[in-house]
Amino acid sequence: MMVTYRRSFLIGLAGFTLSGIASNLATLLIFASGLLGFVLKLVPEEQPLVRLWLGVILAFVGLGLGGAAGGLVRGYTLQRVDTQASRKRYLAGGAFASGIAYGVLVIPALLFISLVSIYNVGASTDPASFVTLFTLVGALFGLVNGLVLALLTVRLRYIWLPWLANILGSAAGGALIGLLIWQPEWIAASSSKLVAIGLFLVVSGLVINAIAGGMLGLAYAWLARERRSFGDAAVAP
């Protein structure tokens, strides 16, 4: 079945929105399950330095696993656009790309955002700093995520297209989330903490991932046309 560019954009938009929510929920479940804490307790308290480093490593691993869970949804979404491609390749590419991006970048990005917020004077009245900061963070995620995804799903000659689409889409999503965080009253006004958490998960999943998903939907729709015209060997890595 031929998938149009409009439908591809909408498939990417919806699928990546769900992937963002899935990553957030999976990460919450991983850290709330106590499994990482159980592993940490295997190290004797007499070795505080080892426990410290292991705790840091486990935090990165937990974030990576949460990202990989959402990455499976991303891979499935892209295979729905490029239907003649290998589903296993897309699932693996999505999981590895998101797992690496989340595992490597989330903690440094949060530390960087916190540091900038401390020394950023006048941010409460001017959204430019929030927009710029989160645009750069989004672009960085797109840079890493897009590169790994492209390397695992298409030939070298086509890598630039999904990579660029991921960078631009993630940067645009970061800019929008920066605007939302600049005015957090929409979260604080929620009737309960549970509702606020759920609202943030849904909105962040929508804003941060949706635009990148739509852009990648367009990119992989074009690649699907190339695959139909020249065969799978011309596009597959």
Side-chain angles (χ1 to χ4, degrees), residues 151-174:
L151 284 171
L152 294 176
T153 55
V154 297
R155 294 180 69 88
L156 287 175
R157 62 181 295 188
Y158 294 116
I159 280 178
W160 66 272
L161 182 59
W163 193 12
L164 180 62
N166 210 330
I167 293 173
L168 294 177
S170 298

Short mmCIF file of all heavy atoms in Angstrom, two decimals, residues 151-174:
data_model
loop_
_atom_site.label_atom_id
_atom_site.label_comp_id
_atom_site.label_asym_id
_atom_site.label_seq_id
_atom_site.Cartn_x
_atom_site.Cartn_y
_atom_site.Cartn_z
N LEU A 151 21.97 5.42 10.62
CA LEU A 151 23.01 4.42 10.35
C LEU A 151 22.45 3.00 10.36
O LEU A 151 22.93 2.14 9.62
CB LEU A 151 24.12 4.54 11.39
CG LEU A 151 25.08 5.72 11.24
CD1 LEU A 151 25.99 5.83 12.46
CD2 LEU A 151 25.92 5.59 9.96
N LEU A 152 21.43 2.76 11.19
CA LEU A 152 20.91 1.41 11.33
C LEU A 152 19.76 1.09 10.39
O LEU A 152 19.35 -0.07 10.29
CB LEU A 152 20.45 1.18 12.78
CG LEU A 152 21.54 1.19 13.85
CD1 LEU A 152 20.93 1.05 15.24
CD2 LEU A 152 22.54 0.07 13.59
N THR A 153 19.24 2.10 9.69
CA THR A 153 18.05 1.84 8.88
C THR A 153 18.23 2.14 7.39
O THR A 153 17.44 1.64 6.57
CB THR A 153 16.85 2.66 9.39
OG1 THR A 153 17.19 4.06 9.44
CG2 THR A 153 16.43 2.19 10.78
N VAL A 154 19.23 2.95 7.00
CA VAL A 154 19.38 3.28 5.58
C VAL A 154 20.86 3.23 5.18
O VAL A 154 21.74 3.23 6.03
CB VAL A 154 18.81 4.68 5.25
CG1 VAL A 154 17.32 4.73 5.51
CG2 VAL A 154 19.53 5.76 6.04
N ARG A 155 21.10 3.20 3.88
CA ARG A 155 22.46 3.21 3.37
C ARG A 155 23.12 4.56 3.61
O ARG A 155 22.45 5.57 3.83
CB ARG A 155 22.47 2.88 1.87
CG ARG A 155 22.01 1.46 1.55
CD ARG A 155 22.03 1.21 0.05
NE ARG A 155 23.39 1.17 -0.45
CZ ARG A 155 24.15 0.07 -0.48
NH1 ARG A 155 23.64 -1.08 -0.04
NH2 ARG A 155 25.37 0.10 -0.95
N LEU A 156 24.44 4.58 3.52
CA LEU A 156 25.20 5.79 3.82
C LEU A 156 24.78 6.97 2.94
O LEU A 156 24.74 8.11 3.40
CB LEU A 156 26.70 5.53 3.66
CG LEU A 156 27.36 4.67 4.75
CD1 LEU A 156 28.81 4.39 4.38
CD2 LEU A 156 27.27 5.36 6.10
N ARG A 157 24.45 6.71 1.70
CA ARG A 157 24.12 7.80 0.77
C ARG A 157 22.82 8.51 1.18
O ARG A 157 22.58 9.64 0.76
CB ARG A 157 23.99 7.26 -0.64
CG ARG A 157 22.90 6.24 -0.84
CD ARG A 157 22.83 5.73 -2.27
NE ARG A 157 22.47 6.77 -3.20
CZ ARG A 157 22.18 6.54 -4.48
NH1 ARG A 157 22.26 5.30 -4.95
NH2 ARG A 157 21.84 7.52 -5.28
N TYR A 158 21.98 7.84 1.99
CA TYR A 158 20.70 8.42 2.38
C TYR A 158 20.68 8.90 3.83
O TYR A 158 19.66 9.40 4.30
CB TYR A 158 19.57 7.40 2.20
CG TYR A 158 19.31 7.02 0.77
CD1 TYR A 158 19.52 5.72 0.33
CD2 TYR A 158 18.83 7.95 -0.14
CE1 TYR A 158 19.27 5.36 -0.99
CE2 TYR A 158 18.57 7.60 -1.46
CZ TYR A 158 18.79 6.30 -1.87
OH TYR A 158 18.53 5.95 -3.18
N ILE A 159 21.78 8.75 4.54
CA ILE A 159 21.79 9.07 5.97
C ILE A 159 21.42 10.52 6.25
O ILE A 159 20.74 10.83 7.23
CB ILE A 159 23.19 8.74 6.56
CG1 ILE A 159 23.30 7.24 6.83
CG2 ILE A 159 23.43 9.51 7.86
CD1 ILE A 159 24.65 6.83 7.36
N TRP A 160 21.84 11.43 5.38
CA TRP A 160 21.63 12.85 5.62
C TRP A 160 20.16 13.20 5.78
O TRP A 160 19.81 14.11 6.55
CB TRP A 160 22.21 13.66 4.46
CG TRP A 160 21.48 13.45 3.16
CD1 TRP A 160 21.73 12.48 2.23
CD2 TRP A 160 20.37 14.20 2.68
NE1 TRP A 160 20.86 12.59 1.18
CE2 TRP A 160 20.01 13.63 1.42
CE3 TRP A 160 19.66 15.29 3.16
CZ2 TRP A 160 18.96 14.13 0.66
CZ3 TRP A 160 18.62 15.79 2.40
CH2 TRP A 160 18.26 15.21 1.16
N LEU A 161 19.25 12.49 5.10
CA LEU A 161 17.84 12.88 5.10
C LEU A 161 17.17 12.63 6.45
O LEU A 161 16.63 13.58 7.06
CB LEU A 161 17.11 12.16 3.97
CG LEU A 161 15.62 12.51 3.82
CD1 LEU A 161 15.44 14.00 3.57
CD2 LEU A 161 15.01 11.71 2.69
N PRO A 162 17.14 11.40 6.98
CA PRO A 162 16.53 11.21 8.30
C PRO A 162 17.30 11.92 9.41
O PRO A 162 16.71 12.35 10.41
CB PRO A 162 16.53 9.69 8.49
CG PRO A 162 17.56 9.18 7.55
CD PRO A 162 17.57 10.11 6.39
N TRP A 163 18.61 12.03 9.26
CA TRP A 163 19.41 12.72 10.27
C TRP A 163 19.01 14.20 10.34
O TRP A 163 18.74 14.73 11.43
CB TRP A 163 20.89 12.58 9.91
CG TRP A 163 21.83 12.97 11.01
CD1 TRP A 163 21.51 13.19 12.33
CD2 TRP A 163 23.24 13.14 10.91
NE1 TRP A 163 22.64 13.50 13.06
CE2 TRP A 163 23.71 13.48 12.21
CE3 TRP A 163 24.15 13.04 9.86
CZ2 TRP A 163 25.06 13.73 12.46
CZ3 TRP A 163 25.49 13.28 10.13
CH2 TRP A 163 25.94 13.62 11.41
N LEU A 164 18.93 14.86 9.21
CA LEU A 164 18.54 16.27 9.18
C LEU A 164 17.10 16.45 9.65
O LEU A 164 16.80 17.39 10.40
CB LEU A 164 18.70 16.82 7.76
CG LEU A 164 18.34 18.30 7.56
CD1 LEU A 164 19.25 19.19 8.40
CD2 LEU A 164 18.45 18.67 6.08
N ALA A 165 16.21 15.55 9.24
CA ALA A 165 14.81 15.65 9.66
C ALA A 165 14.69 15.53 11.18
O ALA A 165 13.91 16.26 11.82
CB ALA A 165 13.99 14.55 8.98
N ASN A 166 15.48 14.64 11.77
CA ASN A 166 15.44 14.46 13.22
C ASN A 166 15.98 15.69 13.95
O ASN A 166 15.41 16.12 14.96
CB ASN A 166 16.25 13.22 13.61
CG ASN A 166 15.71 12.55 14.85
OD1 ASN A 166 15.15 13.17 15.73
ND2 ASN A 166 15.91 11.25 14.93
N ILE A 167 17.06 16.25 13.44
CA ILE A 167 17.64 17.44 14.08
C ILE A 167 16.66 18.60 14.04
O ILE A 167 16.38 19.26 15.06
CB ILE A 167 18.96 17.83 13.40
CG1 ILE A 167 20.03 16.76 13.65
CG2 ILE A 167 19.45 19.18 13.92
CD1 ILE A 167 21.31 16.98 12.87
N LEU A 168 16.10 18.89 12.85
CA LEU A 168 15.20 20.02 12.70
C LEU A 168 13.91 19.82 13.50
O LEU A 168 13.43 20.74 14.18
CB LEU A 168 14.87 20.23 11.22
CG LEU A 168 16.04 20.66 10.32
CD1 LEU A 168 15.58 20.77 8.88
CD2 LEU A 168 16.63 21.97 10.80
N GLY A 169 13.35 18.62 13.44
CA GLY A 169 12.13 18.35 14.18
C GLY A 169 12.32 18.41 15.68
O GLY A 169 11.49 18.98 16.40
N SER A 170 13.42 17.85 16.18
CA SER A 170 13.69 17.87 17.61
C SER A 170 13.98 19.29 18.10
O SER A 170 13.58 19.67 19.21
CB SER A 170 14.87 16.95 17.94
OG SER A 170 14.59 15.61 17.60
N ALA A 171 14.68 20.07 17.28
CA ALA A 171 14.95 21.46 17.65
C ALA A 171 13.66 22.26 17.74
O ALA A 171 13.46 23.05 18.68
CB ALA A 171 15.90 22.09 16.63
N ALA A 172 12.75 22.06 16.78
CA ALA A 172 11.46 22.76 16.82
C ALA A 172 10.64 22.34 18.03
O ALA A 172 10.02 23.16 18.70
CB ALA A 172 10.69 22.50 15.53
N GLY A 173 10.64 21.04 18.32
CA GLY A 173 9.94 20.56 19.51
C GLY A 173 10.54 21.11 20.79
O GLY A 173 9.81 21.47 21.72
N GLY A 174 11.87 21.21 20.84
CA GLY A 174 12.52 21.81 22.00
C GLY A 174 12.14 23.25 22.19
O GLY A 174 11.93 23.71 23.32
#
